[in-house]
Coordinates of all heavy atoms in Angstrom, one line a residue:
S1091 N -13.3 18.1 18.6 CA -12.3 19.0 19.0 C -12.5 19.5 20.4 O -11.6 19.8 21.2 CB -12.3 20.2 18.0 OG -13.5 20.9 18.1
R1092 N -13.8 19.6 20.9 CA -14.1 20.0 22.2 C -13.7 18.9 23.2 O -13.2 19.2 24.3 CB -15.6 20.3 22.4 CG -15.8 21.8 22.7 CD -17.2 22.0 23.0 NE -18.0 22.0 21.8 CZ -19.3 21.5 21.7 NH1 -19.9 21.1 22.7 NH2 -19.9 21.4 20.5
L1093 N -13.9 17.7 22.9 CA -13.6 16.6 23.8 C -12.2 16.2 23.9 O -11.7 15.5 24.8 CB -14.4 15.3 23.4 CG -16.0 15.5 23.5 CD1 -16.6 14.2 22.9 CD2 -16.4 15.7 24.9
S1094 N -11.4 16.7 22.9 CA -10.0 16.4 22.9 C -9.3 17.1 24.1 O -9.5 18.3 24.4 CB -9.3 16.9 21.6 OG -8.0 16.8 21.7
N1095 N -8.6 16.3 24.9 CA -7.9 16.8 26.1 C -6.5 17.1 25.8 O -5.7 17.3 26.8 CB -8.1 15.8 27.2 CG -7.9 16.4 28.6 OD1 -7.8 17.6 28.7 ND2 -7.7 15.6 29.6
H1096 N -6.1 17.0 24.6 CA -4.7 17.2 24.2 C -4.4 18.6 23.9 O -5.0 19.2 23.0 CB -4.3 16.3 23.0 CG -2.9 16.5 22.6 ND1 -1.9 16.0 23.3 CD2 -2.4 17.0 21.5 CE1 -0.7 16.3 22.7 NE2 -1.0 16.9 21.6
R1097 N -3.5 19.3 24.7 CA -3.2 20.7 24.5 C -1.7 20.7 24.2 O -0.9 19.9 24.7 CB -3.5 21.5 25.7 CG -4.9 21.6 26.1 CD -5.1 22.5 27.3 NE -6.5 22.6 27.7 CZ -7.3 23.5 27.4 NH1 -6.9 24.5 26.6 NH2 -8.5 23.5 27.8
R1098 N -1.3 21.7 23.4 CA 0.1 21.9 23.1 C 0.8 22.4 24.3 O 2.0 22.0 24.5 CB 0.3 22.9 22.0 CG -0.2 22.4 20.7 CD 0.1 23.3 19.6 NE -0.4 22.8 18.3 CZ -0.3 23.5 17.2 NH1 0.2 24.7 17.2 NH2 -0.8 23.0 16.1
F1099 N 0.2 23.2 25.1 CA 0.8 23.9 26.3 C -0.1 23.7 27.4 O -1.1 24.5 27.6 CB 1.1 25.3 26.0 CG 2.2 25.9 26.8 CD1 3.5 25.4 26.8 CD2 2.0 27.1 27.5 CE1 4.5 25.9 27.5 CE2 3.0 27.6 28.2 CZ 4.3 27.1 28.2
P1100 N 0.0 22.7 28.3 CA -1.0 22.5 29.3 C -1.2 23.7 30.3 O -0.3 24.5 30.5 CB -0.4 21.3 30.1 CG 0.5 20.7 29.2 CD 1.0 21.7 28.3
I1101 N -2.4 23.8 30.8 CA -2.8 24.9 31.7 C -1.9 25.0 32.9 O -1.5 26.1 33.3 CB -4.3 24.8 32.0 CG1 -5.1 25.0 30.8 CG2 -4.6 25.8 33.1 CD1 -6.6 24.8 31.0
L1102 N -1.6 23.9 33.5 CA -0.8 23.9 34.7 C 0.6 24.4 34.4 O 1.2 25.1 35.2 CB -0.7 22.5 35.3 CG -0.1 22.3 36.7 CD1 -0.8 23.2 37.7 CD2 0.0 20.9 37.1
L1103 N 1.1 24.0 33.2 CA 2.4 24.5 32.8 C 2.4 26.0 32.5 O 3.3 26.8 32.8 CB 2.9 23.8 31.6 CG 4.3 24.0 31.1 CD1 5.3 23.7 32.3 CD2 4.7 23.2 29.9
R1104 N 1.3 26.5 32.0 CA 1.1 27.9 31.8 C 1.1 28.7 33.1 O 1.7 29.7 33.2 CB -0.3 28.2 31.1 CG -0.3 27.8 29.6 CD -1.7 28.1 29.1 NE -1.8 27.4 27.8 CZ -2.9 27.5 27.0 NH1 -3.9 28.2 27.4 NH2 -2.9 26.8 25.9
V1105 N 0.4 28.2 34.1 CA 0.4 28.8 35.4 C 1.8 28.9 36.0 O 2.2 29.9 36.5 CB -0.6 28.1 36.3 CG1 -0.5 28.6 37.7 CG2 -2.0 28.3 35.8
L1106 N 2.5 27.8 35.9 CA 3.9 27.7 36.4 C 4.8 28.7 35.7 O 5.6 29.4 36.3 CB 4.4 26.3 36.2 CG 5.8 26.1 36.8 CD1 5.8 26.2 38.3 CD2 6.3 24.7 36.4
V1107 N 4.7 28.8 34.4 CA 5.5 29.8 33.6 C 5.1 31.2 34.0 O 6.0 32.0 34.2 CB 5.3 29.6 32.1 CG1 5.9 30.7 31.3 CG2 5.9 28.3 31.7
V1108 N 3.9 31.5 34.2 CA 3.5 32.9 34.6 C 4.0 33.2 36.0 O 4.5 34.3 36.2 CB 1.9 33.0 34.6 CG1 1.5 34.3 35.2 CG2 1.5 33.0 33.1
L1109 N 4.0 32.3 36.9 CA 4.5 32.5 38.3 C 6.0 32.7 38.2 O 6.5 33.6 38.9 CB 4.2 31.3 39.2 CG 2.7 31.2 39.6 CD1 2.5 30.0 40.5 CD2 2.3 32.4 40.5
V1110 N 6.7 31.9 37.5 CA 8.2 32.1 37.4 C 8.5 33.4 36.7 O 9.4 34.1 37.2 CB 8.8 30.9 36.6 CG1 10.2 31.2 36.2 CG2 8.7 29.6 37.3
L1111 N 7.8 33.8 35.7 CA 8.0 35.1 35.1 C 7.7 36.3 36.0 O 8.4 37.3 36.1 CB 7.2 35.2 33.8 CG 7.7 34.4 32.6 CD1 6.8 34.5 31.4 CD2 9.1 34.8 32.2

Side-chain angles (χ1 to χ4, degrees):
S1091 66
R1092 246 187 286 145
L1093 295 176
S1094 175
N1095 198 16
H1096 180 68
R1097 295 181 184 265
R1098 290 185 183 175
F1099 204 57
I1101 293 175
L1102 190 59
L1103 189 58
R1104 290 179 193 182
V1105 170
L1106 184 64
V1107 167
V1108 168
L1109 286 175
V1110 168
L1111 287 175

